[in-house]
Amino acid sequence: MEIMDLLADIFETLMILSFGISWPINVLKGYRSRTAKGKSVLFDYFILFGYFCGVASKIISHNYNLAFYFYFPNIIMVITDIIIYYRNRRLDAVRLKNEMK
């Protein structure tokens, strides 16, 4: 493997790891807030699409480096964030209904 390929793999792995550290923080914040206000689920869907594209790229190129394996926990975190968004949206609707009584 050439040095440039190795550096590219290292930087990609660092990028995926930095996202991987950020997602649990975001998921916890969404869970604790119990509201969907100010949250863009469309953003999550675009991120999820990007991760799936990254995985597809790795599979097509047969480049199963360390970054490849870190895509999966990130995908799980984004899906969790999406689930929490819909839970919070439901909680917002219940609160609104109770306020209107």
Side-chain angles (χ1 to χ4, degrees):
M1 178 178 273
E2 290 186 29
I3 188 73
M4 296 306 277
D5 291 336
L6 179 61
L7 281 174
D9 286 348
I10 288 171
F11 283 122
E12 181 185 21
T13 300
L14 289 172
M15 182 265 307
I16 294 294
L17 282 172
S18 68
F19 286 173
I21 292 167
S22 303
W23 279 115
I25 295 166
N26 190 55
V27 165
L28 187 59
K29 181 181 173 188
Y31 180 79
R32 287 180 176 167
S33 75
R34 300 180 63 83
T35 183
K37 292 177 182 168
K39 175 78 175 163
S40 171
V41 75
L42 187 59
F43 173 81
D44 283 343
Y45 282 117
F46 277 118
I47 295 294
L48 190 61
F49 175 73
Y51 282 147
F52 282 129
C53 288
V55 169
S57 170
K58 295 294 186 185
I59 291 170
I60 290 167
S61 67
H62 302 286
N63 184 10
Y64 303 106
N65 61 4
L66 188 58
F68 173 79
Y69 299 99
F70 283 107
Y71 276 101
F72 297 101
N74 286 351
I75 289 170
I76 291 168
M77 285 288 110
V78 175
I79 291 170
T80 303
D81 199 41
I82 291 170
I83 291 167
I84 289 171
Y85 168 82
Y86 287 109
R87 178 206 75 155
N88 287 348
R89 203 169 90 167
R90 183 181 48 80
L91 291 174
D92 287 341
V94 168
R95 267 192 302 278
L96 182 64
K97 184 179 176 183
N98 288 337
E99 288 173 4
M100 296 178 81
K101 287 183 178 181

